[in-house]
Amino acid sequence: MRLAVAIAAGFLAFLSGPVPASAAETPQALCTVKDSRLGELSGLVSDGEHLYAINDGGTKVQVFVLGRDCKVQKVLSDKTDPFDVEDLARTPDGRLWLSDTGDNLKGRLTVALLELSPQGKLTLHRLTYPDGQHDTEALIMDKAGTPYLITKDVLGDAKVYRPAGPLASPGPTNLEKVGSVKIATTDTQGGPVGSIGSVLVTGGASSADGTVVALRTYTDAYLYAAPDGDVLAALQRTPVRIPLPGEKQGEAIAFDPDGTLLSGSEGAGQPLRAVRGAAALAAQSGAPAEGKASTGTGASSGSAGDGAGLPILPAAGITLAVVGIGWFGFSKLRRRSRR
């Protein structure tokens, strides 16, 4: 199976073009997460003073509140048993939004957002896709509090969904597909599945003022300028790519209020890392670009050479890539079932 993954990675690396990139500071270690309860860090947000973190999966709702030294100060919890929590967002009113949207085997009839108020009240919002099941690990909340879900797709063609109307509780509320984003392979080292991991979207974030949004893969972060707070318009612009090398299984990404980019990985004893001034880099490079994303139809365009995404792969390459990711997803599912 490892051979299949390696061959698939080779196909992807050979056939895809470079992603537009800008020079950025090297990520610096902020602190190390040593608490064994956070061994599967998947979502992260910051209010500047505290960090809020969640694990991948879980049998009850838990949000860990950390100091800037990565030590857990308290745990916000609720008895609700989620299916597979993958990301975390925070709105200006202090509400935390857990994205219970993981679906490795594409078997869920509904996904959910879990809204946790500052007073500890949990509200469930079930959601349904218009076009079948998707595995989704990234959540971005815009300035108005509208959630955007960005899927994790093996060929780097991440789909963007948002609620078609006001969130209902418990719902379900219908989602609508509003766009897609092409991610091309990079040579950044890290992640659990080689070069394939550089196209898999594993997390999302928005700056405190909503003027920069970010997506991450296992290996890189992509920062998009959103001067008017419009997430879809932002995803049409050329992003700043910030390599995040060496993360064992990088899924967490967040912004400090000052625009510092934070990233983290699953695994015991992994560091949280910071890239200072990252949001400013994105804000300065926010020129629109054709073919990076589309709105309305969800159809993207662009050629392999301009970093817009992956070209059409030979059938063998597609098969090997799917087998590799399927194996990885199945191994995660088995791990969760043993809890």
Side-chain angles (χ1 to χ4, degrees), residues 78 92 146 171-172 181 227 267 303-304:
D78 185 270
T146 301
V181 180
S303 64

Side-chain angles (χ1 to χ4, degrees), residues 103-121:
D103 192 11
N104 288 322
L105 299 184
K106 309 291 196 305
R108 301 181 64 172
L109 296 179
T110 64
V111 294
L113 293 177
L114 306 174
E115 175 189 358
L116 187 63
S117 75
Q119 294 75 36
K121 178 184 178 183

Side-chain angles (χ1 to χ4, degrees), residues 16 34 38 43 47 63 82 88 95 98 124 146 194 217 264-265 273 277:
S16 61
K34 298 179 180 179
L38 267 173
D47 64 9
V63 179
L88 182 66
R95 292 177 182 271
L98 289 75
L124 172 66
T146 301
T217 66
S265 170
R273 301 193 296 173

Side-chain angles (χ1 to χ4, degrees), residues 8-336:
F11 268 102
L12 291 170
F14 174 75
L15 292 171
S16 61
V19 175
S22 294
E25 296 180 23
T26 301
Q28 302 294 321
L30 177 68
C31 56
T32 300
V33 180
K34 298 179 180 179
D35 196 304
S36 61
R37 294 173 294 176
L38 267 173
E40 295 187 39
L41 176 65
S42 183
L44 187 71
V45 294
S46 168
D47 64 9
E49 182 180 358
H50 300 98
L51 304 169
Y52 301 83
I54 58 167
N55 274 317
D56 183 355
T59 57
K60 64 180 179 179
V61 170
Q62 287 187 306
V63 179
F64 296 84
V65 183
L66 286 65
R68 302 296 293 189
D69 57 1
C70 282
K71 293 182 179 179
V72 176
Q73 297 181 348
K74 63 180 177 179
V75 181
L76 309 175
S77 62
D78 185 270
K79 63 181 180 181
T80 299
D81 182 2
F83 184 88
D84 187 5
V85 173
E86 290 287 356
D87 207 358
L88 182 66
R90 184 175 184 269
T91 45
D93 60 5
R95 292 177 182 271
L96 295 167
W97 294 81
L98 289 75
S99 184
D100 181 10
T101 53
D103 192 11
N104 288 322
L105 299 184
K106 309 291 196 305
R108 301 181 64 172
L109 296 179
T110 64
V111 294
L113 293 177
L114 306 174
E115 175 189 358
L116 187 63
S117 75
Q119 294 75 36
K121 178 184 178 183
L122 187 91
T123 304
L124 172 66
H125 304 282
R126 295 195 182 279
L127 307 166
T128 57
Y129 292 105
D131 52 2
Q133 290 78 17
H134 299 279
D135 185 24
T136 298
E137 296 192 6
L139 169 66
I140 293 176
M141 301 289 291
D142 72 8
K143 293 172 66 174
T146 301
Y148 289 80
L149 301 177
I150 300 90
T151 63
K152 180 182 184 182
D153 283 272
V154 67
L155 297 183
D157 186 13
K159 301 169 183 64
V160 184
Y161 295 86
R162 71 182 176 196
L167 289 175
S169 179
T173 300
N174 293 327
L175 293 166
E176 58 180 351
K177 183 182 177 184
V178 293
S180 61
V181 180
K182 289 280 189 179
I183 305 290
T185 54
T186 73
D187 59 2
T188 307
Q189 298 299 305
V193 289
S195 296
I196 298 173
S198 67
V199 307
L200 301 176
V201 176
T202 61
S206 177
S207 63
D209 60 4
T211 61
V212 177
V213 298
L215 297 176
R216 74 158 299 162
T217 66
Y218 284 122
T219 59
D220 300 87
Y222 297 87
L223 277 57
Y224 302 82
D228 55 0
D230 187 330
V231 171
L232 292 181
L235 295 177
Q236 294 178 9
R237 299 185 173 100
T238 301
V240 171
R241 178 170 71 91
I242 298 180
L244 302 172
E247 293 194 356
K248 181 179 180 181
Q249 189 170 323
E251 298 189 9
I253 190 169
F255 286 101
D256 272 334
D258 67 0
T260 296
L261 183 72
L262 305 174
S263 71
S265 170
E266 286 195 18
Q270 296 297 305
L272 293 184
R273 301 193 296 173
V275 179
R276 305 195 183 281
L281 286 173
Q284 294 166 8
S285 64
E290 291 293 330
K292 305 307 178 215
S294 66
T295 58
T297 65
S300 296
S301 61
S303 64
D306 65 2
L310 298 176
I312 298 174
L313 294 177
I318 294 175
T319 301
L320 290 173
V322 171
V323 168
I325 297 302
W327 169 82
F328 176 62
F330 180 68
S331 68
K332 290 186 71 176
L333 187 67
R334 288 185 61 196
R335 183 179 62 195
R336 288 180 193 140

